[in-house]
Amino acid sequence: MSSPKMKVRIWSDVMCPFCYIGKHHYEAALAEFADKDFIETEWQSFQLDPEFPTGKDKNGSTKEYLMTRKGISEEQVDLMQDHVERMGRESGLDFHLNQSIMANSFDAHRLIQLAKTKGLDNVMEEKLFAAHFTSGEDVGDHDVLKRLGTEAGLAGEEIEQALTDDRYAYLVNQDKRESEQLGIRGVPFFVLNNRYAISGAQPKEAILQTLEKAFGEWRKDNPVLQMEVSEGPACTPDGVCD
């Protein structure tokens, strides 16, 4: 029987640079956490712009998107992107926001939902983030998604199904509905043990502090089983009987 684990759920969108930064801050905190083997991380779907039109012909540069759809001046966009790229470098990430392509992220989230059923959602998230923010790939393009899914360890037939099957669309929408119930207005948003939350790409130290607090309470509710053992003659799996 596997040991119980404390769950950390992360609402995120692959179009969100702070989600990528937050992911790496969280992973840095987890690397320093003594009880990391008792943590289960699960990625949840969130769309920053679910109304963005679908189709390759609708996709374009993120800079153009921010200027035309959000009404931000070119000067402001340049300053914003410079700031985010600087934050990325400080977190060990290589952002190329001038090359990033804006797309509707719904199908990318379908792929994440499939990956989640295989325990590969963290791998899938990383590949999607890197493709969008570093390589400048169109993660709304099914050919790109199929290749990234295969690289993450998913089977081709399963990927095809995920991109067309209502089951995975339902799971994406279910995550989005839950985010509304929780009052989540921005991402990344971390929920630890359903008791603590972290909003935004906070520093590693802040995440580690909350992780330790949440786990301390979880451990009280899930104590390590300790037994007094009376020893006697026994056989072991290696064939030794004494």
Side-chain angles (χ1 to χ4, degrees):
M1 182 186 299
S2 59
S3 300
K5 295 186 178 184
M6 188 189 86
K7 183 169 287 189
V8 177
R9 296 189 295 161
I10 309 171
W11 271 264
S12 165
D13 190 4
V14 296
M15 295 289 146
C16 167
F18 294 117
C19 292
Y20 197 14
I21 292 170
K23 178 181 187 293
H24 277 248
H25 287 181
Y26 169 70
E27 289 171 343
L30 202 59
E32 296 184 10
F33 185 58
D35 292 296
K36 58 180 174 290
D37 291 341
F38 294 97
I39 301 298
E40 178 184 353
T41 304
E42 183 178 286
W43 289 86
Q44 317 289 143
S45 296
F46 187 99
Q47 281 192 284
L48 290 170
D49 190 353
E51 303 304 320
F52 189 82
T54 58
K56 286 178 62 175
D57 59 319
K58 303 294 193 302
N59 301 344
S61 75
T62 300
K63 181 175 182 176
E64 185 68 21
Y65 164 82
L66 292 171
M67 291 170 59
T68 59
R69 195 168 173 91
K70 299 299 182 181
I72 304 173
S73 71
E74 183 174 7
E75 182 181 8
Q76 286 178 302
V77 171
D78 288 339
L79 289 172
M80 287 168 53
Q81 292 189 332
D82 285 346
H83 172 66
V84 171
E85 288 189 349
R86 186 164 57 252
M87 285 188 65
R89 286 193 296 272
E90 291 171 355
S91 303
L93 298 171
D94 187 19
F95 282 103
H96 295 285
L97 297 182
N98 61 324
Q99 300 174 17
S100 64
I101 298 172
M102 181 64 195
N104 188 299
S105 61
F106 191 84
D107 287 342
H109 283 292
R110 280 176 155 181
L111 197 57
I112 293 165
Q113 293 292 340
L114 167 62
K116 193 189 303 188
T117 67
K118 311 291 183 181
L120 295 170
D121 44 327
N122 192 65
V123 177
M124 194 72 257
E125 286 278 353
E126 184 67 27
K127 287 194 171 294
L128 286 164
F129 278 135
H132 178 61
F133 290 111
T134 301
S135 304
E137 297 189 76
D138 183 353
V139 296
D141 184 333
H142 280 200
D143 289 336
V144 172
L145 292 176
K146 290 172 186 176
R147 176 175 55 78
L148 294 174
T150 301
E151 290 174 1
L154 301 174
E157 291 183 1
E158 293 177 320
I159 296 170
E160 288 277 3
Q161 183 182 27
L163 296 175
T164 55
D165 196 317
D166 287 344
R167 172 193 173 192
Y168 296 99
Y170 171 80
L171 293 172
V172 173
N173 288 322
Q174 190 176 48
D175 279 358
K176 290 162 67 176
R177 283 192 294 271
E178 187 174 1
S179 74
E180 293 170 1
Q181 293 169 357
L182 292 172
I184 299 174
R185 298 184 179 277
V187 286
F189 194 90
F190 303 74
V191 175
L192 299 83
N193 194 31
N194 288 329
R195 293 185 183 181
Y196 293 90
I198 300 170
S199 179
Q202 295 192 25
K204 174 193 69 177
E205 292 76 16
I207 297 174
L208 184 58
Q209 184 178 34
T210 305
L211 193 59
E212 289 172 341
K213 187 174 185 180
F215 186 80
E217 292 189 8
W218 179 86
R219 179 51 84 197
K220 288 180 182 178
D221 297 332
N222 298 270
V224 177
L225 183 62
Q226 295 181 332
M227 298 179 290
E228 285 190 21
V229 180
S230 176
E231 300 285 355
C235 294
T236 62
D238 59 7
V240 175
C241 295
D242 56 17

